[in-house]
Amino acid sequence: AQKVTQAQTEISVVEKEDVTLDCVYETRDTTYYLFWYKQPPSGELVFLIRRNSFDEQNEISGRYSWNFQKSTSSFNFTITASQVVDSAVYFCALNRARTGGFKTIFGAGTRLFVKA
Amino acid sequence: GAVVSQHPSRVICKSGTSVKIECRSLDFQATTMFWYRQFPKKSLMLMATSNEGSKATYEQGVEKDKFLINHASLTLSTLTVTSAHPEDSSFYICSAHSGQGGTIYFGEGSWLTVV
């Protein structure tokens, strides 16, 4: 069975603070994809990153960084120097990389509030 | 720009009526599309897998007669909520797979309100 756990329901920080959103996943597949999406109040899902299971390199994109550790089945997301515009719900997701099995399993989401 | 487009983005309908939501892949052909439902402050739950030219595969607990899915072409899947009730009010979002490297694109979502 596949599962994605985002234990943090809500996080509140003050602008310029760093914040890490946790994601733990479960899968028996050896090949899979992990994603992070941002969902602002308007509802659309904004793609942030995709990582395949064979690439454990950490990635940095501006103020965003991701730490993928297969040993702990975690794919954590850090926002450095947070801004009010970062306020949104963030979803971690898992997808099987097999033909015909592209259902995306979402975590429960973490609602981030960044206060000015 | 968007590669998967949903229409309408917002719709209000009366109880008992049916409403159709479209999901189009704009730059690629999608043999498979997915329909998700999201309740307020909740995660996205997969409703069904839409397969071009064949019947949709519904997740457990999803009423196939209530949520009709049609995938008549490689670029269009439609979700029809039949005999809508207020409890069907929700955010519906579709996704499509580009077939290359596992890239998944999501539509902008559709807010349905049944009054």
Side-chain angles (χ1 to χ4, degrees), chain B residues 29-103:
Chain B
Q29 294 182 332
T31 56
T32 303
M33 292 184 177
F34 300 89
W35 285 96
Y36 296 84
R37 180 176 182 176
Q38 185 180 26
F39 290 104
K41 297 190 177 182
K42 296 295 183 183
S43 188
L44 287 81
M45 300 302 296
L46 180 67
M47 297 175 66
T49 303
S50 171
N51 304 298
E52 188 269 335
S54 65
K55 291 183 179 180
T57 304
Y58 289 83
E59 295 299 299
Q60 192 173 10
V62 177
E63 298 177 62
K64 58 183 67 176
D65 294 330
K66 180 166 189 61
F67 298 100
L68 300 179
I69 291 173
N70 183 278
H71 196 155
S73 77
L74 287 171
T75 59
L76 174 64
S77 175
T78 59
L79 168 67
T80 301
V81 182
T82 63
S83 187
H85 288 165
E87 55 264 33
D88 297 327
S89 299
S90 190
F91 184 65
Y92 295 87
I93 191 166
C94 69
S95 74
H97 188 270
S98 70
Q100 295 179 0
T103 302

Side-chain angles (χ1 to χ4, degrees), chain A residues 2 29 33 35 93-106, chain B residues 32-34 36 46-49 57-60 95 97 104 106:
Chain A
Q2 296 184 309
D29 296 321
Y33 292 132
F35 301 79
L94 170 69
N95 191 284
R96 304 172 71 179
R98 293 181 185 172
T99 301
F102 296 109
K103 300 177 185 180
T104 301
I105 308 300
F106 287 88
Chain B
T32 303
M33 292 184 177
F34 300 89
Y36 296 84
L46 180 67
M47 297 175 66
T49 303
T57 304
Y58 289 83
E59 295 299 299
Q60 192 173 10
S95 74
H97 188 270
I104 304 162
F106 284 86

Side-chain angles (χ1 to χ4, degrees), chain A:
Chain A
Q2 296 184 309
K3 185 179 179 181
V4 176
T5 301
Q6 293 179 257
Q8 304 149 308
T9 306
E10 291 186 358
I11 300 176
S12 183
V13 299
V14 176
E15 215 172 13
K16 298 184 182 178
E17 285 186 10
D18 298 346
V19 58
T20 296
L21 309 181
D22 297 332
C23 173
V24 175
Y25 63 93
E26 295 176 28
T27 181
R28 293 182 179 178
D29 296 321
T30 55
T31 302
Y32 50 89
Y33 292 132
L34 294 165
F35 301 79
W36 275 96
Y37 292 93
K38 175 182 179 180
Q39 188 178 44
S42 54
E44 79 274 18
L45 286 177
V46 178
F47 169 81
L48 297 178
I49 190 172
R50 181 190 74 200
R51 171 69 69 227
N52 77 51
S53 52
F54 295 107
D55 182 3
E56 287 194 72
Q57 281 191 340
N58 292 329
E59 183 158 336
I60 298 175
S61 176
R63 296 184 296 106
Y64 296 167
S65 62
W66 291 269
N67 184 301
F68 176 30
Q69 294 199 356
K70 288 182 75 171
S71 60
T72 56
S73 296
S74 64
F75 187 41
N76 296 337
F77 171 34
T78 297
I79 302 175
T80 303
S82 59
Q83 300 176 1
V84 173
V85 294
D86 295 327
S87 297
V89 180
Y90 290 87
F91 289 100
C92 179
L94 170 69
N95 191 284
R96 304 172 71 179
R98 293 181 185 172
T99 301
F102 296 109
K103 300 177 185 180
T104 301
I105 308 300
F106 287 88
T110 297
R111 187 174 297 273
L112 176 64
F113 296 97
V114 182
K115 304 173 188 175

